[in-house]
Amino acid sequence: MIGGGEGSFIGGVHRIAANLDGQIELVCGCFSSRPEVSYRTGRALFLPDNRIYGSFQEMIEREASLPEGERMDFVSIVTPNHLHFAPAMMALEHGFHVALDKPMTFTLDEALQLREKVNSRGLLFMLTHTYTAYPMVREARERVRRGELGKIRRIYVEYPQGWLYEDCSATNKQAAWRVDPARSGKAGCMGDLGTHAFNIVEFITGLKATELCGELISFVPGRLLEDDGAALIRYEGGARGVLTASQIAIGHENSLRVRIYGEKAGLEWSQEEPNTLLMLWPDAPAQILRTSNGYLSLAAKHNTRIPAGHPEGYLEAFANLYRHFAQALQALAVGETPAAEDLDFPSIEEGVRGMRFIEAIVSTNETEQKWIPIGD
Amino acid sequence: MIGGGEGSFIGGVHRIAANLDGQIELVCGCFSSRPEVSYRTGRALFLPDNRIYGSFQEMIEREASLPEGERMDFVSIVTPNHLHFAPAMMALEHGFHVALDKPMTFTLDEALQLREKVNSRGLLFMLTHTYTAYPMVREARERVRRGELGKIRRIYVEYPQGWLYEDCSATNKQAAWRVDPARSGKAGCMGDLGTHAFNIVEFITGLKATELCGELISFVPGRLLEDDGAALIRYEGGARGVLTASQIAIGHENSLRVRIYGEKAGLEWSQEEPNTLLMLWPDAPAQILRTSNGYLSLAAKHNTRIPAGHPEGYLEAFANLYRHFAQALQALAVGETPAAEDLDFPSIEEGVRGMRFIEAIVSTNETEQKWIPIGD
Amino acid sequence: MIGGGEGSFIGGVHRIAANLDGQIELVCGCFSSRPEVSYRTGRALFLPDNRIYGSFQEMIEREASLPEGERMDFVSIVTPNHLHFAPAMMALEHGFHVALDKPMTFTLDEALQLREKVNSRGLLFMLTHTYTAYPMVREARERVRRGELGKIRRIYVEYPQGWLYEDCSATNKQAAWRVDPARSGKAGCMGDLGTHAFNIVEFITGLKATELCGELISFVPGRLLEDDGAALIRYEGGARGVLTASQIAIGHENSLRVRIYGEKAGLEWSQEEPNTLLMLWPDAPAQILRTSNGYLSLAAKHNTRIPAGHPEGYLEAFANLYRHFAQALQALAVGETPAAEDLDFPSIEEGVRGMRFIEAIVSTNETEQKWIPIGD
Amino acid sequence: MIGGGEGSFIGGVHRIAANLDGQIELVCGCFSSRPEVSYRTGRALFLPDNRIYGSFQEMIEREASLPEGERMDFVSIVTPNHLHFAPAMMALEHGFHVALDKPMTFTLDEALQLREKVNSRGLLFMLTHTYTAYPMVREARERVRRGELGKIRRIYVEYPQGWLYEDCSATNKQAAWRVDPARSGKAGCMGDLGTHAFNIVEFITGLKATELCGELISFVPGRLLEDDGAALIRYEGGARGVLTASQIAIGHENSLRVRIYGEKAGLEWSQEEPNTLLMLWPDAPAQILRTSNGYLSLAAKHNTRIPAGHPEGYLEAFANLYRHFAQALQALAVGETPAAEDLDFPSIEEGVRGMRFIEAIVSTNETEQKWIPIGD
């Protein structure tokens, strides 16, 4: 693991998620750019000192020099956005598979370089768009694929949070880097939340966004990055979307919600009640689909562990990504082709799409041109 | 009453609403442009034949000629949009107060003429934006007025319906005129639903929308008016809104919902669960406010009849408008000044605002200019 | 109308409900045992003085002496429980149809006498168990009748309120008579709420309760009647029920809720969200049935006025009872047989059942015998 | 671990839960009474063959003979009910701490013996009443302790499931032992679900149930144990409860829900939406408390890992028990006194209470005596 030292939120989440199914073991790490923090964190995680590193360069080089079977199998990078590219690129170059947090890179250019590297090296690359790993999001995608909704027409996706409704960067480490362009990148709210919202729609519908028209706002005085924004989005095939994201919507915790309407049916899913998927029909009652029931597709079942009515949450969704990633690695390790469902995690392409979205949403805010194309 | 013959939805609603509190009695009507329908409807409503009319012109002239105390006190006009202006104008010219359904007129120009007439004649004019008469919408406005939300930042308003997801104009009278530009006007979905959504935000926040950027879509093949649309809206003072409306969002019945976030708090209200208002706080639990409780403001109490937990619905909200209108008329009849709360119904200004909105939303769809100003 | 003077809750509700559909007109009334209150109330309701009475005896005698067509068609009795029997009996004896609030009488014996009178006179008698008139309660009954649930096994019915959580009888007229044995009868909470809960189960399932085992409690110090209670109930055919009612369940407004499970399916309905009925299936997603949709039965449609998504509430449910009662009266007036759906209101039998329930629930509290039979 | 072989539900849950926080490592196990199953399971869990055992006796003896630091620190017993006592007793006798699933034993007598052993040996004993480890259940208890509800009056607890609505014991291993008196004990539904419901009320309120009156039913033909039941319960101090549990309530997954009303406030919690706690106030709006917010007590915070809006579920609640158990063990291992919050898991007393409840609820069904005392 690279990153995830004391005070990190997502580092601990990655560790629990990777560990949850007993398929992955933390063997080494560089948890901070400050070596003393890295060592303190590593020891608390029961790592031996010789597998705790003071820099990611040292770690990757040293691990690469260890004999197979002893060295790490892959690296998880959980640093702030500006520190994604360098360790990811170096790990790939040294032959390590990579799990990386989103947004994938600091700039689109880095994303494109990374894509080229991943593709040329043939290594596994997983981008942790956690929300796509909830069983009911998989079910939603399956329903769309089966044609139950018919041609998609209208998409609403929203991702309101409220925790940054006032300036708390001085006291909150999580807040501090997210509102700092030097660490977060061009976008604030849209990089942190908007990319998830953008991704989950493309994931469920299989449709690519082609152009957007939007606006970014920084409501909190003095904040350098936007803390709120909204965009109209056009998708291939004629579907239309509205995407909103906010960090100042007081009272909202982490309320990612997506609603999709086709010619024949609609569906609705909310991250805060993740085990429910609502199916909406034109001349019949709405149906409440619930995780772990027999009527669900294999896509949902492959991402569930326990019986219906025993709520699975965010950590389980995150663990689903790691479980499939681990199973794919195991298959590769024994020379087999990974099962399709184990390769079904967000990858380098989703990472590039996310950076395209950031480019476009930042551009839209800077021109009077109504529609901004989103490249491939 | 003008309009509201057999097969009309809103005519019956107006009659129940006006009648509900026992303050208003239907005394005459021209219920259809086809006299035989008008007579059949009137008789079923227990009207004597001499107060049933075959044309609105005949009705207004005849009623105006009756002695005071015998003639109608005001006229309710519940015809399709293209038949709002002429009877409203004629009624005003003959000295009758008017209650009119929204959108107020067929064109903005008609709206401006009507405004001039109302203002010059000093008559009461009520536009039946029903949703503003729910007690919890009044409470929401009161909370904003008191400053509980602080300065408003972000507004989401949505109004999805699903009933027009396919072409049903041949079999459904309600659908037929709504999708016909000759009867509905320039806008379809936005005239029918968008105007409500636009209005409720201005009503609750007290903020005027200044410009918008949006898109209208007609998803159902062959439909001449849009059946779906979305817009980004800028409000005076810097607040930003997103307004969506749809007639093809399968599974939605009449799901007007508004969410407003300020510097200090947020609130949320949904028409389909109208007796609940959610108050959202930054460092405290959300609160569920419910109709008819002692902790509500007078603004809510003036629009409620029965104890908490006894659901009041759409007809009661509609009746609130008529009750206050009736009380204002009674005050005028005896030479008194109506109470402020009885004059607190949507009026000619809201009607003009709605037409401004329709103008702007139709314009935005026809240009590459990003932001379209909304006039006063 | 008898009762319903100033300060009455249910009197105003009856008037609005009777009036709502324009089929019933208030023509006379004795609104209070204090003549000056009766006159003041009647005048405020636009009644002429000669149709306002100072005692119900005077009213019934005088109205009976008026020529047909001029006299009242039926009488609504909305007095406290101890004043139900005498005016109802007298009205029936003078040939008037009767609408009466629940619980039907002060004692079981009165109920049995009233039943005999109703049956021997052949007059219409309606007991206003309002909750059975919600469209989705009718739908629930229809679903059971059709066999969709299979044989009924388990029933939960609850009716919590919180408004009497402390002693408020000195300041609240509604509270005062409900906690007074001299006006309310043997039972407090169970008479006011329990009878509704008991009734709605028998209404929906068509099953008669045969015996019960329960406990009544008076939690508020000094209160003479119970303000809370619970009972296990056995139904014919082997179904088992749990009935709870409370006036001290803080935070609850009027939360009547019924859940019924059979061999093949289950259903759930809540009075505070009356337009939704949940259908529960063993190997398929739950379904959300909503008022006014095309997939509902005629039983629901006959009790609905407006399109889906326009909430109908308590007053509309109440008005459904009066509407059907009025239509049955109209049919009788012209010598026709009323339509079955118009006679489908709670009647004298439901009234007797309610009194049987009160007898049994009060008995169970006074003995160590586990099961108390409920007579017919 | 003892038990938890292939096809087990709860064994896998225990393993994930114990493992989730990286504080506990599975070092040995006897996963089945059939050695080949035990070995197959153990190998799949990466255990070396010499730590996989064919019988629990062999395992406990062998592990006890290993030097400290090598042998297991404690044993988790996850077998069906009839196989709880023997391994638990033997483990305690050999000086091992024990984690055990509920209901604690097959008979009350076994429970009392186990209590004596635990108390005399001074070992840690944890009963996995998982539901008490949800953060919002801890918050609920804290609110009661602080006196926010005042004296408790009324308690409703329900635990409906629907999965056993028909006979599936031939095809479902989970169902088979639960409906078999030889493996499950005297009670079916009440042992499996009722004990949880009984426990969570005593946990939150701190009140002991003193007597009960109830009924058990077996609705599915041929089933030997009850699949549904209900009881009225009296608590010390005068509070009254209703407890219901069912395995035939079609449509319910795992719907444990508890509602508690005191003199000053009420609260409500549902296992299927575990991150929400509703606080109900007499003259103020209800509040929605949500996991991980700053306004919660330490009791809640100690049982949460991730920020608000990232749902934690059943596995995290289960892991909370193991995390605290592990921390208590670590403290003991270094000669320290465990922190109070780490000893705050359900223990031998709760186990005895559960068996007392089973005794009483089975008795109540067999007599005509109304109230059955529940011993200490």
Side-chain angles (χ1 to χ4, degrees):
Chain A
M1 171 168 284
I2 296 172
E6 297 161 356
S8 159
F9 150 52
I10 208 68
V13 166
H14 276 257
R15 286 192 294 266
I16 291 176
N19 187 44
L20 193 138
D21 289 303
Q23 303 292 311
I24 294 172
E25 192 185 347
L26 179 70
V27 294
C28 66
C30 166
F31 303 100
S32 172
S33 51
R34 290 187 295 153
E36 71 278 14
V37 174
S38 185
Y39 276 89
R40 206 159 53 226
T41 304
R43 285 166 188 157
L45 295 167
F46 306 110
L47 286 184
D49 274 13
N50 67 341
R51 302 297 285 280
I52 309 175
Y53 300 95
S55 77
F56 74 81
Q57 295 87 346
E58 184 196 346
M59 174 168 128
I60 293 171
E61 277 171 16
R62 171 87 204 298
E63 290 286 325
S65 72
L66 294 177
E68 210 183 305
E70 281 182 40
R71 67 172 175 252
M72 65 179 183
D73 290 315
F74 72 96
V75 63
S76 280
I77 301 169
V78 298
T79 47
N81 303 349
H82 67 304
L83 296 174
H84 282 186
F85 177 71
M89 187 56 99
M90 186 175 169
L92 291 166
E93 282 168 347
H94 284 73
F96 291 111
H97 307 284
V98 171
L100 183 58
D101 220 312
K102 46 53 56 187
M104 190 163 75
T105 49
F106 200 64
T107 66
L108 172 59
D109 183 59
E110 289 175 354
L112 297 173
Q113 288 181 54
L114 216 53
R115 174 163 70 176
E116 201 185 325
K117 182 62 69 182
V118 168
N119 290 341
S120 65
R121 294 297 302 251
L123 292 162
L124 292 188
F125 180 92
M126 174 171 78
L127 194 74
T128 52
H129 270 306
T130 320
Y131 303 120
T132 62
Y134 275 110
M136 299 316 270
V137 173
R138 299 278 163 143
E139 182 71 20
R141 182 179 62 168
E142 184 65 23
R143 299 277 175 149
V144 172
R145 282 184 176 171
R146 274 190 221 156
E148 290 193 15
L149 279 75
K151 193 180 168 193
I152 304 301
R153 290 170 163 176
R154 166 50 74 191
I155 297 157
Y156 302 124
V157 63
E158 61 186 52
Y159 197 159
Q161 292 184 340
W163 68 304
L164 297 181
Y165 78 103
E166 62 180 5
D167 185 9
C168 56
S169 57
T171 56
N172 184 324
K173 182 179 168 180
Q174 293 306 318
W177 75 259
R178 279 182 171 81
V179 300
D180 175 6
R183 288 179 281 177
S184 196
K186 281 184 187 186
C189 174
M190 283 296 169
D192 196 26
L193 309 183
T195 48
H196 275 307
F198 182 80
N199 173 256
I200 204 168
V201 170
E202 293 200 340
F203 180 84
I204 294 176
T205 64
L207 297 175
K208 282 201 170 168
T210 55
E211 48 189 343
L212 62 72
C213 162
E215 188 182 21
L216 306 181
I217 311 102
S218 177
F219 280 114
V220 173
R223 189 166 283 165
L224 297 174
L225 289 172
E226 92 284 0
D227 49 28
D228 182 287
L232 313 177
I233 304 186
R234 289 172 169 171
Y235 290 88
E236 54 184 6
R240 294 299 197 282
V242 175
L243 180 153
T244 61
S246 182
Q247 293 164 323
I248 55 86
I250 286 177
H252 284 286
E253 298 174 344
N254 195 42
S255 313
L256 174 63
R257 188 161 73 119
V258 59
R259 295 179 283 171
I260 298 171
Y261 306 92
E263 290 181 343
K264 297 197 269 177
L267 60 80
E268 180 171 340
W269 179 82
S270 293
Q271 194 273 148
E272 293 184 354
E273 292 188 34
N275 296 300
T276 296
L277 174 68
L278 214 55
M279 287 294 301
L280 305 164
W281 307 102
D283 299 309
Q287 291 179 305
I288 305 169
L289 280 65
R290 298 263 309 153
T291 302
S292 256
N293 279 287
Y295 50 72
L296 297 181
S297 67
L298 286 175
K301 289 179 187 173
H302 284 148
N303 290 283
T304 310
R305 286 162 193 79
I306 46 178
H310 298 74
E312 294 185 82
Y314 178 79
L315 292 172
E316 287 78 10
F318 221 118
N320 288 337
L321 291 178
Y322 271 107
R323 183 168 59 166
H324 290 299
F325 190 63
Q327 284 168 195
L329 288 177
Q330 285 172 36
L332 292 178
V334 297
E336 291 175 2
T337 304
E341 78 225 29
D342 290 331
L343 290 174
D344 190 9
F345 47 74
S347 185
I348 192 74
E349 289 302 330
E350 281 83 351
V352 171
R353 292 295 298 160
M355 297 310 296
R356 295 274 190 209
F357 166 71
I358 290 175
E359 285 293 307
I361 195 88
V362 170
S363 297
T364 192
N365 202 41
E366 291 165 353
T367 87
E368 282 304 303
Q369 183 186 334
K370 192 166 178 182
W371 294 99
I372 303 291
I374 304 168
D376 285 336
Chain B
M1 173 167 283
I2 297 171
E6 295 161 357
S8 159
F9 149 54
I10 208 67
V13 166
H14 276 257
R15 287 192 293 265
I16 292 176
N19 187 45
L20 192 138
D21 289 303
Q23 303 293 311
I24 294 172
E25 191 186 347
L26 179 69
V27 295
C28 65
C30 166
F31 303 100
S32 169
S33 51
R34 290 186 297 152
E36 72 277 16
V37 174
S38 186
Y39 277 89
R40 206 157 55 224
T41 304
R43 285 164 188 160
L45 295 166
F46 306 109
L47 286 184
D49 275 13
N50 67 341
R51 301 298 285 277
I52 308 173
Y53 301 94
S55 77
F56 73 84
Q57 293 89 344
E58 182 196 348
M59 173 169 128
I60 292 171
E61 278 171 16
R62 171 84 203 301
E63 291 287 324
S65 72
L66 294 177
E68 210 183 306
E70 283 183 40
R71 67 171 173 251
M72 66 180 181
D73 291 313
F74 72 96
V75 64
S76 278
I77 301 170
V78 299
T79 46
N81 303 346
H82 67 304
L83 298 173
H84 283 186
F85 177 72
M89 186 58 98
M90 186 174 170
L92 290 166
E93 283 168 347
H94 285 73
F96 292 109
H97 308 284
V98 170
L100 183 57
D101 220 312
K102 44 56 54 188
M104 189 164 74
T105 48
F106 199 64
T107 68
L108 172 60
D109 183 59
E110 289 176 354
L112 297 173
Q113 289 182 53
L114 216 51
R115 176 164 67 177
E116 202 185 322
K117 182 62 66 182
V118 168
N119 290 340
S120 65
R121 294 297 302 252
L123 293 162
L124 292 187
F125 180 92
M126 175 171 78
L127 194 72
T128 52
H129 270 305
T130 321
Y131 303 121
T132 63
Y134 275 111
M136 299 315 271
V137 173
R138 299 278 163 143
E139 182 71 20
R141 183 179 62 168
E142 184 64 23
R143 298 276 174 151
V144 172
R145 282 184 176 171
R146 276 191 221 156
E148 291 193 16
L149 279 75
K151 194 181 165 192
I152 302 302
R153 290 169 163 177
R154 166 50 75 192
I155 297 156
Y156 301 124
V157 64
E158 61 186 54
Y159 198 161
Q161 293 183 339
W163 67 304
L164 298 181
Y165 78 101
E166 62 179 8
D167 185 9
C168 56
S169 56
T171 56
N172 185 324
K173 181 179 168 180
Q174 292 305 319
W177 75 259
R178 280 182 171 79
V179 300
D180 176 6
R183 288 179 280 175
S184 195
K186 280 186 188 185
C189 174
M190 284 297 169
D192 195 24
L193 310 183
T195 48
H196 275 307
F198 182 81
N199 173 256
I200 204 168
V201 170
E202 294 199 341
F203 180 83
I204 293 176
T205 66
L207 298 175
K208 281 202 171 168
T210 54
E211 46 188 343
L212 61 73
C213 162
E215 187 183 22
L216 305 182
I217 312 102
S218 177
F219 280 116
V220 172
R223 189 167 284 165
L224 297 175
L225 289 172
E226 92 284 358
D227 48 28
D228 181 289
L232 313 176
I233 303 185
R234 289 172 168 170
Y235 290 88
E236 55 184 3
R240 294 300 198 281
V242 175
L243 180 154
T244 60
S246 182
Q247 293 165 323
I248 57 84
I250 286 176
H252 284 286
E253 296 174 344
N254 196 42
S255 312
L256 174 63
R257 189 162 72 120
V258 61
R259 294 179 285 172
I260 298 171
Y261 306 93
E263 289 182 344
K264 297 197 268 175
L267 62 77
E268 180 172 340
W269 180 82
S270 292
Q271 195 272 150
E272 292 184 355
E273 293 189 33
N275 296 300
T276 295
L277 174 68
L278 214 56
M279 285 297 299
L280 304 164
W281 307 102
D283 299 309
Q287 290 179 305
I288 305 170
L289 280 64
R290 299 262 309 153
T291 302
S292 256
N293 280 285
Y295 49 73
L296 298 181
S297 68
L298 286 174
K301 289 179 188 173
H302 283 147
N303 289 281
T304 310
R305 284 163 193 78
I306 45 177
H310 299 75
E312 295 184 81
Y314 178 80
L315 292 172
E316 286 79 9
F318 221 118
N320 288 337
L321 291 179
Y322 271 107
R323 184 169 58 167
H324 290 299
F325 190 63
Q327 284 167 195
L329 289 177
Q330 286 171 34
L332 292 179
V334 296
E336 291 174 4
T337 305
E341 76 225 31
D342 289 331
L343 289 174
D344 190 10
F345 48 73
S347 184
I348 191 77
E349 289 303 327
E350 282 83 351
V352 171
R353 293 295 297 161
M355 297 311 296
R356 294 275 189 207
F357 166 72
I358 289 175
E359 286 293 305
I361 195 87
V362 169
S363 296
T364 191
N365 201 41
E366 291 165 353
T367 89
E368 282 305 304
Q369 184 187 333
K370 192 166 176 181
W371 294 101
I372 304 291
I374 304 167
D376 283 336
Chain C
M1 171 168 285
I2 297 172
E6 296 162 358
S8 158
F9 149 52
I10 208 68
V13 166
H14 276 257
R15 287 191 293 266
I16 292 176
N19 187 44
L20 194 139
D21 290 302
Q23 303 292 311
I24 293 172
E25 191 184 347
L26 179 69
V27 294
C28 64
C30 166
F31 302 100
S32 170
S33 50
R34 290 188 295 153
E36 72 277 15
V37 174
S38 185
Y39 276 89
R40 205 158 56 225
T41 304
R43 285 166 188 158
L45 295 166
F46 306 110
L47 287 184
D49 275 13
N50 67 340
R51 301 297 285 278
I52 308 175
Y53 302 95
S55 77
F56 73 83
Q57 293 88 344
E58 182 196 348
M59 173 169 130
I60 292 171
E61 278 171 16
R62 171 87 203 297
E63 289 287 324
S65 72
L66 294 177
E68 211 182 304
E70 282 182 39
R71 67 171 174 252
M72 66 180 181
D73 290 313
F74 71 96
V75 63
S76 278
I77 301 169
V78 299
T79 47
N81 303 347
H82 67 305
L83 298 173
H84 282 185
F85 177 72
M89 186 57 96
M90 187 175 168
L92 291 166
E93 283 168 347
H94 285 73
F96 291 111
H97 308 284
V98 170
L100 182 57
D101 219 311
K102 48 51 61 187
M104 190 163 75
T105 48
F106 199 64
T107 67
L108 173 59
D109 183 60
E110 289 175 356
L112 297 174
Q113 288 182 53
L114 217 52
R115 176 164 70 178
E116 203 186 323
K117 181 64 65 180
V118 168
N119 290 341
S120 66
R121 295 297 302 250
L123 292 162
L124 291 188
F125 181 92
M126 174 170 78
L127 193 73
T128 52
H129 271 305
T130 321
Y131 304 120
T132 63
Y134 275 110
M136 299 316 269
V137 173
R138 300 279 164 144
E139 181 72 20
R141 182 179 63 169
E142 184 65 22
R143 297 277 174 149
V144 172
R145 283 183 175 171
R146 275 190 221 156
E148 291 193 16
L149 278 76
K151 194 180 165 193
I152 302 302
R153 289 170 163 176
R154 168 50 74 192
I155 296 157
Y156 301 125
V157 64
E158 61 186 54
Y159 197 159
Q161 293 184 339
W163 68 303
L164 297 180
Y165 78 102
E166 61 179 9
D167 185 9
C168 56
S169 56
T171 56
N172 184 323
K173 180 180 170 181
Q174 293 305 319
W177 75 259
R178 281 181 171 80
V179 300
D180 176 6
R183 287 179 281 176
S184 198
K186 281 186 188 185
C189 174
M190 283 299 168
D192 196 25
L193 310 183
T195 47
H196 275 307
F198 182 82
N199 173 255
I200 205 169
V201 170
E202 294 201 340
F203 180 84
I204 294 176
T205 65
L207 297 176
K208 281 203 172 167
T210 55
E211 45 188 344
L212 62 72
C213 162
E215 188 183 20
L216 305 183
I217 311 101
S218 177
F219 280 115
V220 173
R223 189 166 283 164
L224 297 174
L225 289 172
E226 90 285 358
D227 48 29
D228 181 288
L232 313 177
I233 303 185
R234 290 174 168 169
Y235 290 88
E236 56 185 3
R240 293 300 196 283
V242 175
L243 179 153
T244 61
S246 183
Q247 293 166 324
I248 57 84
I250 288 176
H252 284 286
E253 297 174 344
N254 196 41
S255 312
L256 174 63
R257 188 162 73 120
V258 59
R259 296 178 284 173
I260 298 171
Y261 306 92
E263 291 182 341
K264 297 197 267 176
L267 61 79
E268 181 172 339
W269 180 82
S270 293
Q271 193 272 147
E272 292 184 355
E273 293 189 33
N275 296 299
T276 296
L277 174 68
L278 214 56
M279 287 295 300
L280 304 164
W281 306 101
D283 299 308
Q287 290 179 306
I288 305 169
L289 280 65
R290 298 264 307 153
T291 301
S292 256
N293 280 285
Y295 51 71
L296 296 181
S297 67
L298 285 175
K301 289 178 188 174
H302 284 147
N303 289 283
T304 311
R305 286 163 192 79
I306 45 178
H310 298 74
E312 295 185 80
Y314 177 80
L315 292 172
E316 286 80 8
F318 222 118
N320 288 336
L321 291 178
Y322 273 107
R323 182 168 58 167
H324 290 300
F325 190 63
Q327 284 168 195
L329 289 177
Q330 285 171 36
L332 291 178
V334 298
E336 290 175 4
T337 303
E341 77 226 30
D342 289 331
L343 290 173
D344 191 10
F345 46 74
S347 185
I348 192 74
E349 290 301 329
E350 282 83 351
V352 172
R353 292 295 298 160
M355 297 311 295
R356 294 275 190 206
F357 166 70
I358 289 175
E359 286 292 306
I361 195 87
V362 170
S363 296
T364 191
N365 202 43
E366 292 165 352
T367 88
E368 282 305 302
Q369 183 187 333
K370 193 166 177 181
W371 294 100
I372 304 290
I374 303 168
D376 283 337
Chain D
M1 173 168 281
I2 295 171
E6 297 162 357
S8 160
F9 149 53
I10 207 70
V13 166
H14 276 258
R15 286 191 295 267
I16 291 175
N19 187 45
L20 192 139
D21 289 303
Q23 303 293 310
I24 293 172
E25 192 186 347
L26 180 70
V27 295
C28 65
C30 166
F31 302 99
S32 170
S33 52
R34 290 186 295 151
E36 71 278 14
V37 174
S38 185
Y39 277 90
R40 206 158 54 226
T41 304
R43 286 168 187 156
L45 296 166
F46 306 111
L47 286 185
D49 274 13
N50 66 342
R51 300 298 284 277
I52 308 175
Y53 300 95
S55 77
F56 73 83
Q57 293 90 345
E58 183 196 348
M59 174 169 128
I60 292 172
E61 277 172 15
R62 172 83 202 302
E63 290 288 323
S65 71
L66 294 177
E68 211 183 305
E70 283 183 38
R71 67 172 175 252
M72 66 180 183
D73 290 314
F74 71 96
V75 62
S76 279
I77 301 169
V78 298
T79 47
N81 302 348
H82 68 305
L83 298 173
H84 282 187
F85 177 71
M89 187 57 97
M90 187 176 169
L92 290 167
E93 283 169 346
H94 285 74
F96 292 111
H97 308 284
V98 170
L100 183 58
D101 220 313
K102 49 51 55 187
M104 189 164 75
T105 48
F106 199 64
T107 66
L108 172 59
D109 183 60
E110 289 176 355
L112 297 174
Q113 288 182 54
L114 217 53
R115 175 163 70 175
E116 202 186 322
K117 182 62 70 183
V118 167
N119 289 341
S120 65
R121 293 298 301 252
L123 293 162
L124 293 187
F125 180 92
M126 175 171 78
L127 194 73
T128 51
H129 270 305
T130 320
Y131 303 120
T132 63
Y134 275 109
M136 299 316 270
V137 173
R138 300 276 164 145
E139 182 71 19
R141 183 180 60 168
E142 185 64 22
R143 299 275 173 152
V144 172
R145 283 184 175 171
R146 275 190 221 157
E148 291 193 17
L149 279 74
K151 193 180 165 194
I152 302 302
R153 290 171 164 176
R154 167 50 74 191
I155 297 157
Y156 301 124
V157 62
E158 61 184 54
Y159 197 160
Q161 293 183 339
W163 67 304
L164 297 181
Y165 77 102
E166 62 179 7
D167 185 9
C168 55
S169 58
T171 56
N172 184 324
K173 181 180 168 180
Q174 291 306 318
W177 75 259
R178 278 182 172 80
V179 300
D180 176 5
R183 288 179 281 176
S184 196
K186 281 185 187 185
C189 174
M190 283 296 168
D192 195 25
L193 309 183
T195 49
H196 275 306
F198 182 81
N199 173 255
I200 204 168
V201 170
E202 293 200 341
F203 180 84
I204 293 176
T205 65
L207 298 175
K208 280 201 173 170
T210 55
E211 45 188 345
L212 60 73
C213 162
E215 189 183 22
L216 306 182
I217 311 101
S218 178
F219 280 116
V220 172
R223 188 167 285 166
L224 297 175
L225 290 172
E226 92 282 0
D227 48 28
D228 182 286
L232 313 178
I233 303 186
R234 289 173 169 171
Y235 290 87
E236 53 184 6
R240 293 302 197 281
V242 175
L243 180 153
T244 60
S246 182
Q247 294 166 324
I248 56 85
I250 287 177
H252 285 286
E253 297 174 344
N254 195 41
S255 313
L256 175 62
R257 187 161 74 119
V258 59
R259 295 179 283 173
I260 298 171
Y261 306 92
E263 289 181 344
K264 297 198 268 176
L267 61 79
E268 180 172 339
W269 180 82
S270 293
Q271 194 274 148
E272 292 184 355
E273 293 188 33
N275 297 299
T276 295
L277 174 67
L278 214 56
M279 285 297 299
L280 304 164
W281 306 103
D283 298 308
Q287 290 179 305
I288 306 169
L289 281 64
R290 297 264 308 155
T291 301
S292 256
N293 280 286
Y295 50 72
L296 297 181
S297 67
L298 286 174
K301 289 179 187 171
H302 284 149
N303 289 283
T304 310
R305 287 164 192 77
I306 45 178
H310 299 75
E312 295 185 80
Y314 178 80
L315 292 173
E316 287 79 10
F318 221 118
N320 288 337
L321 290 179
Y322 271 108
R323 183 168 58 165
H324 290 300
F325 190 63
Q327 284 168 195
L329 287 178
Q330 286 171 35
L332 291 179
V334 297
E336 291 174 3
T337 305
E341 77 224 31
D342 289 332
L343 290 173
D344 191 10
F345 47 74
S347 184
I348 192 76
E349 290 303 329
E350 282 83 350
V352 172
R353 293 295 298 160
M355 297 310 296
R356 294 276 189 205
F357 166 71
I358 289 175
E359 285 294 306
I361 195 89
V362 169
S363 297
T364 193
N365 202 41
E366 291 165 351
T367 88
E368 283 304 305
Q369 183 186 335
K370 192 165 176 183
W371 294 100
I372 303 290
I374 303 168
D376 282 339

